[in-house]
Amino acid sequence: MTRLTEEAVKDIPSKISCLDHELEKRLGMDLRNFACYAMNVSADDIDFSSYKAAIVPVTSGKGIIGGFSRSVAAAVETMGIRSSVTEACDVAGISEAFSSDADIIFMADDERFIALNKRTGSFSDNIWSTAKGYVTALKIAEGGLEGKKVLVIGAGRVGTEAVKMIMEEKACADVTDILPHKASALESRYAGVKAIRDVEQAIKDNRLILNASPGKIPGTLIREGAVISSPGVPYAFDDEGEKRAKVIIHDVLSLGVAVMTVASLSLSLFNVPAADVVAEKVIP
Ligand code: 2YC
């Protein structure tokens, strides 16, 4: 999982509303409606203004990323949920959030980034939510994935979840990874998945791409009219790639955060996991 940097997130709070408009322009939905669409719930069924979110900075492992918590808060706030960053970090921050009127508590260490719903005792996960968001974005941009082939670049945690979701869309996936055994592991696990070693040829051969890798992708490899959904950080594409592609959907944090927010809420809404929400009960 690529760790975000202070540089990568520093502009999010000031740019979040134009990102929201950008998404509306590209996919016809703002962040809140997109996340509801991805989670298969109606935005009208969720009273976003009745919720409150607390983001807890976590100092474990490689420590705090300057601006990360504020960026998460900005994305959640854009969806109409009052959000704030706790004063304290770590366990003190979690107890501060629990004793406040916050309903959803966001926290991320180097391994996991979750949104815990205090009302239902369930939580959603950023890796799953990011994959869900970017597969949904690809599906909207392409007008459906059924019967089509998608090239997934990167068989890490997001890429792996994305492959599962692409199969659920009755599409098939070619997967490539800098570590070939990771792509072949997916090939042996899922019918309809093919591991590809020659990534350059694969990019040239495929019009639909989900890029979940941190590598740069030379625009000269991109097919004219390619539809690209790219959760990978840092941003992979150059001017040539942007010229050739029909659309490239990319952002650093907000799409995954928006989907994980609705994923954590939709459990409380139905009191049972929504069809495909991957969330584990924390408190039975
Ligand atoms: O500031 C903090 O609280 C840090 N503990 C946050 C660490 C986040 C590490 N994860 C990442 O950088 C990203 C996440 C957006 C999800 C995947 N990688």
Side-chain angles (χ1 to χ4, degrees):
M1 174 175 71
T2 312
R3 179 178 162 88
L4 292 176
T5 62
E6 190 164 344
E7 178 62 23
V9 300
K10 70 179 175 22
D11 296 333
I12 293 177
S14 58
K15 285 194 175 161
I16 191 69
S17 53
C18 70
L19 182 130
D20 208 23
H21 296 318
E22 190 60 29
L23 199 69
E24 180 112 44
K25 224 167 60 190
R26 293 214 169 151
L27 299 178
M29 294 174 230
D30 65 8
L31 216 44
R32 171 162 67 179
N33 287 301
F34 172 79
C36 289
Y37 179 83
M39 292 308 305
N40 202 16
V41 295
S42 158
D44 300 337
D45 289 342
I46 298 179
D47 178 7
F48 286 84
S49 61
S50 73
Y51 288 91
K52 207 161 174 283
I55 296 83
V56 182
V58 174
T59 63
S60 69
K62 294 180 184 146
I64 282 177
I65 299 173
F68 173 80
S69 293
R70 264 196 325 280
S71 298
V72 174
V76 180
E77 190 89 37
T78 303
M79 299 170 74
I81 294 178
R82 288 157 296 142
S83 307
S84 59
V85 178
T86 54
E87 290 291 314
C89 303
D90 305 324
V91 178
I94 294 169
S95 58
E96 181 186 327
F98 261 87
S99 33
S100 77
D101 55 354
D103 309 283
I104 315 166
I105 301 169
F106 291 79
M107 56 193 110
D109 62 16
D110 295 345
E111 278 312 304
R112 296 278 307 258
F113 175 18
I114 65 168
L116 187 147
N117 185 321
K118 230 167 77 181
R119 292 186 194 176
T120 60
S122 58
F123 70 89
S124 58
D125 175 86
N126 180 265
I127 296 288
W128 183 89
S129 302
T130 299
K132 188 69 178 170
Y134 279 88
V135 169
T136 303
L138 188 69
K139 182 177 164 185
I140 297 169
E142 171 61 12
L145 295 178
E146 188 163 351
K148 297 176 183 172
K149 176 145 75 68
V150 179
L151 172 64
V152 176
I153 306 173
R157 292 194 294 172
V158 172
T160 297
E161 288 300 330
V163 165
K164 287 189 222 171
M165 294 166 184
I166 288 165
M167 308 313 289
E168 284 160 12
E169 292 294 333
K170 299 189 178 57
C172 58
D174 281 5
V175 191
T176 182
D177 190 283
I178 200 159
L179 301 173
H181 71 274
K182 292 175 84 171
S184 350
L186 290 181
E187 179 179 83
S188 43
R189 205 186 311 169
Y190 301 106
V193 173
K194 202 148 79 49
I196 305 286
R197 282 184 175 266
D198 184 344
V199 60
E200 294 208 353
Q201 192 53 48
I203 295 169
K204 287 179 189 163
D205 293 345
N206 283 279
R207 188 179 57 81
L208 301 180
I209 296 177
L210 189 137
N211 172 48
S213 79
K216 287 289 177 203
I217 298 177
T220 47
L221 300 177
I222 302 290
R223 279 178 56 165
E224 279 302 325
V227 177
I228 303 173
S229 185
S230 185
V233 284
Y235 182 63
F237 303 95
D238 55 26
D239 294 347
E240 181 60 21
E242 289 181 359
K243 205 166 85 214
R244 293 185 182 201
K246 179 184 165 205
V247 63
I248 299 177
I249 296 124
H250 169 78
D251 91 305
V252 164
L253 187 62
S254 320
L255 219 63
V257 166
V259 175
M260 78 194 268
T261 302
V262 173
S264 71
L265 293 182
S266 50
L267 283 168
S268 62
L269 195 71
F270 299 112
N271 206 20
V272 285
D276 50 7
V277 172
V278 172
E280 296 127 53
K281 276 277 177 208
V282 174
I283 305 156

